[in-house]
């Protein structure tokens, strides 16, 4: 059924679909993560862990890495102004004070030394 201007229900539905395709679906396609956490490599050494994350196209100044206990959280900005986060859990506690992060050719390398145990001296009672 057409209106007096020649714009019918089918035309309205098509325009409505195109509007939502442009406004929502195209934005979701653009919001693809700029960092591929699923491709992160975690390597365990005797005295440390190394985490390598491909981060091509990310401003290294905007990457945040936080260590707490046995966990590492890495946060990077996404293309829509939000934040993507990935967490890694380890079997040993991490020495946060000596942990380091380096950026090289689109790859973030985080070195996490394992926290050493402390011996407790026994005192005679």
């Amino acid at each position: 059924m057409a209106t007096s201007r020649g714009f019918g229900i089918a035309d309205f539905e098509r325009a409505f679909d195109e509007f939502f395709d442009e406004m929502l679906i195209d934005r979701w396609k653009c919001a693809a993560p700029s960092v591929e956490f699923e491709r992160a490599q975690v390597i365990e050494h005797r005295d440390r862990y190394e985490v390598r994350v491909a981060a091509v196209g990310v401003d290294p100044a905007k990457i945040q890495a936080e260590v707490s206990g046995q966990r590492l959280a890495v946060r990077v900005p996404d293309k829509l102004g939000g934040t993507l986060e990935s967490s890694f859990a380890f079997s040993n506690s991490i020495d946060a004070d000596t942990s380091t992060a380096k950026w090289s050719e689109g790859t973030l390398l985080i070195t996490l030394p394992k926290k050493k145990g402390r011996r407790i001296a026994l005192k005679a009672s």
Side-chain angles (χ1 to χ4, degrees):
M1 169 160 69
T3 63
S4 60
R5 294 184 180 166
F7 192 79
I9 292 176
D11 296 320
F12 175 78
E13 288 174 350
R14 186 173 36 257
F16 190 78
D17 288 343
E18 288 174 4
F19 171 77
F20 278 99
D21 283 349
E22 288 177 23
M23 294 302 295
L24 298 176
I25 295 172
D26 288 347
R27 285 188 180 193
W28 288 337
K29 289 178 185 173
C30 294
S34 54
V35 174
E36 300 177 23
F37 287 119
E38 64 274 4
R39 289 185 31 195
Q41 291 181 312
V42 178
I43 303 164
E44 181 174 2
H45 298 276
R46 185 182 56 76
D47 61 340
R48 70 189 183 285
Y49 298 102
E50 289 182 352
V51 179
R52 295 174 192 263
V53 180
V56 177
V58 174
D59 179 359
K62 294 184 179 182
I63 297 173
Q64 298 175 353
E66 182 179 321
V67 175
S68 178
Q70 294 173 255
R71 300 187 65 78
L72 166 68
V74 180
R75 296 176 196 89
V76 297
D78 69 11
K79 293 180 182 180
L80 295 178
T83 302
L84 298 171
E85 179 175 328
S86 188
S87 295
F88 304 87
F90 304 97
S91 56
N92 296 86
S93 292
I94 298 166
D95 187 351
D97 294 333
T98 59
S99 295
T100 60
K102 293 181 183 177
W103 176 262
S104 178
E105 299 176 18
T107 300
L108 176 64
L109 171 63
I110 302 172
T111 303
L112 307 162
K114 294 178 182 177
K115 202 173 232 183
K116 296 178 181 169
R118 187 178 78 124
R119 291 188 184 214
I120 300 171
L122 296 176
K123 295 181 183 179
S125 49

